[in-house]
Amino acid sequence: MSARVAAGAKLGLELEMPVAGRADGASVPVRDYFERLAGLRRERGQAAALVRIGEVAVGVSGPLGESGLDNGFNLLETAFAPVAGGAGGLDRLDAAVREELADVRTALAADAAFVLNASEHPDCTLDEEWYHRVRVPRPIYRELAGYRGWLHRAGIDAKAQNGPCTAVPVREAVRALNVSLALAPALMALYANSPLQAGRETGLKENRMTLWDRMFRHARFAGDHFLQQLPERPFRDLGDHFRWMYGAGTASRALSWHAGDDYKSAVSVYLEGDPALGRFLRAAAWAGRRGDTGERVMLAPRAEHFVYSQFAHFLDARWRYRLARMPALPDLLAAWDRPGGLEALFEACGCDGYIEARAFGAVFPDAQLLREAGADVGAGVILGASALQLGLLANLDEAEALVRQWGWLELRGLRAPAIRHALDDARVRALCGEVLAVAQAGLAPADRHWLRYPRYVVESGTTAADLQLRLWRSAPRATFYRERALQLPG
C-alpha cells in the first residue's frame, strides 16, 4: 500500500434522523423533545443547555455536541463534537453515537414517536401548509426561499443523511475533496435508503439525492443550480475551488453585517446587483440592504466574508474549515491568485479543516436489518459511513489512482445510475467493491470491522432501499413502520 496522508486526526459526524409517530408512522414534528432530552442529561450530571430561536427550543448543547434540527421539526440532527482519531477513534465516535441514540429514543417515546430507518420519510407531504408548520424559524430561510427563490420545501419530508466529518491537512484538502466527489456514486449507492416519496415508489433507490436539482432548478440565480453540479474536471488547488464557487456566473449569498456571526442566524446584508463574491471582495465597499431592518448600508469586504461563504455549494462533499487567525484581506486576495497560495496562507493561519460527506443516506439498525443481515452488521451500520470516508482519505494515493482508472467524467456519469439503480447497475456495483477495497486498505486492521455493513451490501447486492421496498410491498403499513423503527443492537 502507498504512503498514507495524515487524515483522520479528528473524527466528527452530523447525523440526521427522521421522526415518525408510533400510531401510524406519519411524519411528526417534535414538541417538548428538547426539554426532555436536556432533563435526561442533567439527571446523569451532564451539562445540557437549551438552544433557542426566540422562545422556541431547537436544540440541546452538551459534551457530545449539539442535538438539534435540520430544516424541520420532523428531522432531528445531531452534530457530534469531534473525537480524537487514531487508534480507537471510530470506537470513541461510536460510543458517542450509541449514547445519543439511546437518549433520542427515550426522549421521543414520551411523544409516542421514534426514529425511522429511512433517508426520506416514505409518505409525507411537501405542500406549503406543512412546510410552514414544521419549518425551523431560522432567519436564513427567508433569504433562501424568499429572496433566492429556492424550492426549500422540497426537503421538508425529512430527507436525512449520515454525514461523516474527517479532518484532513489543508495541504491535502483539494486531493481529499476531489476523491470524495468522484467516488460519491459508490457511497450513495451503498447507503441508499429512500425509494419512496409521498406514499409512492419513485423508481429510484436514493430519491433523496434528487433534492438539490429540484430545489435550485428554478432559483432566481442560475449560479445556484450550477453550484450543485460536479465540475467537468477535478479542482487543481484551493484557489481553483474557490474561483469555481465565488467566480463569474455566481451570485454571492447574503453576507454577515457583524464579524463572527453564524451563517444560519446572522444579521444579513443583501448586496445590490447580486455580484459574485469574488467581485465584492475586490471592491472598497458595496451598497446593500440589511435583512432585518431593510436599512440601506455600505458593506466593506472582510476576509471573514470569504470564510463565511464556504457553505455556498451543494456538491456531494464539502471541505469545511476554520482559521485560528484571520488574514488581512489583501493577503488573502494575493494568495488566491497564486497556485497553492491559499494552502500556504491557511496553513500559516492555523487552519482546522475537514471533509464533510453529503452522499451517504441515513441508515439505522432496525428489526428488519437485524433479521436479514445479523446483529453484527446492524451494530456497525451507522459508523460504516465514517469508516469508509476515513479509509479512503487515509489511503489517498490509491483512492486517486482509482479515480484515474475509472476517469473523472465516467464517475460523474455514474451518479444518476447510482441514484436510480444502486447496486442493480453492474458498473456501480463494481465501483462499490473497488471503493470498499481501497477504504479497507486505508484502515488499521483493528478498525476494518466497521466496514461490515458496506461489505454486506457489496456481497449481497442488497441495500437498505431494497429492504425498504420489499417490506413496503408485502406488509401492512403498521408492520412496515414497526419493522423500520430504530432498534439498538445489544
Side-chain angles (χ1 to χ4, degrees):
M1 188 184 76
S2 53
R4 297 176 182 173
V5 299
K10 292 190 289 186
L11 303 173
L13 176 63
E14 294 184 0
L15 185 62
E16 297 173 355
M17 296 164 271
V19 180
R22 288 203 178 277
D24 56 7
S27 181
V28 293
V30 296
R31 299 298 179 193
D32 301 318
Y33 165 79
F34 292 110
E35 290 82 355
R36 287 192 295 272
L37 196 63
L40 288 172
R41 291 170 183 173
R42 290 167 184 156
E43 288 172 7
R44 293 200 299 266
Q46 294 177 335
L50 283 172
V51 178
R52 298 182 184 274
I53 298 176
E55 298 300 314
V56 181
V58 295
V60 179
S61 64
L64 293 182
E66 184 169 316
S67 308
L69 299 163
D70 185 56
N71 59 347
F73 284 90
N74 60 334
L75 182 57
L76 306 178
E77 178 186 75
T78 298
F80 289 89
V83 302
L90 289 170
D91 297 323
R92 286 186 285 275
L93 186 57
D94 180 63
V97 170
R98 283 177 171 270
E99 181 176 330
E100 174 74 357
L101 290 181
D103 282 352
V104 167
R105 191 170 63 169
T106 300
L108 285 177
D111 274 344
F114 62 93
V115 171
L116 180 67
N117 178 22
S119 57
E120 175 180 2
H121 193 283
D123 192 4
C124 179
T125 182
L126 293 170
D127 69 27
E128 287 280 357
E129 188 279 330
W130 172 256
Y131 172 67
H132 288 291
R133 180 151 65 92
V134 303
R135 186 184 71 177
V136 178
R138 293 193 180 101
I140 192 174
Y141 296 151
R142 292 196 296 270
E143 176 202 352
L144 304 186
Y147 184 73
R148 302 188 79 89
W150 294 7
L151 188 64
H152 191 240
R153 63 183 172 85
I156 205 68
D157 57 348
K159 291 182 170 70
Q161 70 180 33
N162 178 334
C165 299
T166 301
V168 294
V170 65
R171 294 280 182 176
E172 306 293 349
V174 162
R175 294 179 66 203
L177 179 60
N178 284 336
V179 160
S180 299
L181 292 172
L183 300 179
L187 308 182
M188 64 182 69
L190 289 167
Y191 273 74
N193 198 18
S194 56
L196 303 161
Q197 180 176 289
R200 296 185 294 274
E201 296 186 21
T202 63
L204 309 176
K205 295 293 180 70
E206 185 63 342
N207 184 68
R208 173 187 69 96
M209 292 306 298
T210 66
L211 171 62
W212 310 118
D213 175 68
R214 293 158 64 190
M215 187 178 292
F216 304 128
R217 190 180 301 156
H218 303 295
R220 180 177 183 178
F221 305 112
D224 290 354
H225 190 263
F226 167 77
L227 290 177
Q228 58 86 37
Q229 300 173 75
L230 186 67
E232 293 186 353
R233 60 166 177 80
F235 298 115
R236 297 187 180 97
D237 62 3
L238 283 179
D240 187 35
H241 172 247
F242 286 112
R243 279 188 292 275
W244 168 82
M245 189 159 54
Y246 300 156
T250 68
S252 173
R253 298 275 290 274
L255 298 174
S256 58
W257 180 239
H258 302 120
D261 276 356
D262 174 77
Y263 77 93
K264 289 186 177 180
S265 56
V267 173
S268 297
V269 175
Y270 297 80
L271 300 177
E272 288 187 3
D274 306 300
L277 183 73
R279 184 180 172 201
F280 163 75
L281 291 173
R282 288 173 170 83
W286 203 283
R289 175 177 55 82
R290 281 183 54 152
D292 58 339
T293 65
E295 175 188 5
R296 191 175 185 277
V297 295
M298 293 298 293
L299 182 65
R302 308 186 298 265
E304 288 95 337
H305 289 134
F306 186 100
V307 178
Y308 174 89
S309 300
Q310 64 183 272
F311 56 87
H313 76 80
F314 284 80
L315 297 182
D316 297 328
R318 289 178 178 146
W319 181 63
R320 300 294 302 272
Y321 69 99
R322 59 178 59 87
L323 303 177
R325 177 181 66 80
M326 196 62 64
L329 181 58
D331 293 341
L332 187 150
L333 294 176
W336 196 6
D337 288 336
R338 295 193 302 271
L342 287 182
E343 283 85 347
L345 177 66
F346 285 0
E347 189 172 55
C349 289
C351 183
D352 182 10
Y354 60 92
I355 296 296
E356 172 197 27
R358 299 167 54 79
F360 297 99
V363 181
F364 299 94
D366 64 10
Q368 185 191 24
L369 180 63
L370 298 178
R371 185 174 61 251
E372 296 267 351
D376 284 346
V377 170
V381 63
I382 296 173
L383 262 288
S386 295
L388 274 169
Q389 184 182 64
L390 174 61
L392 289 172
L393 300 185
N395 194 10
L396 198 49
D397 289 346
E398 289 190 16
E400 285 182 317
L402 183 60
V403 172
R404 288 193 297 271
Q405 173 191 329
W406 279 81
W408 181 269
L409 292 179
E410 178 73 13
L411 291 168
R412 187 175 186 252
L414 281 182
R415 190 177 188 274
I419 290 170
R420 178 166 293 278
H421 303 295
L423 274 72
D424 290 344
D425 184 287
R427 294 174 303 158
V428 173
R429 187 166 183 173
L431 177 64
C432 288
E434 293 177 25
V435 165
L436 179 61
V438 172
Q440 178 169 299
L443 293 175
D447 286 333
R448 291 173 183 167
H449 69 96
W450 288 114
L451 296 174
R452 290 181 302 240
Y453 176 74
R455 189 176 300 117
Y456 160 78
V457 173
V458 168
E459 291 174 355
S460 67
T462 301
T463 66
D466 295 306
L467 294 177
Q468 187 179 150
L469 278 173
R470 188 186 308 166
L471 194 61
W472 182 264
R473 292 166 178 169
S474 64
R477 291 295 172 261
T479 302
F480 173 86
Y481 286 110
R482 184 171 61 249
E483 288 277 293
R484 298 290 292 192
L486 168 68
Q487 185 169 319
L488 299 179

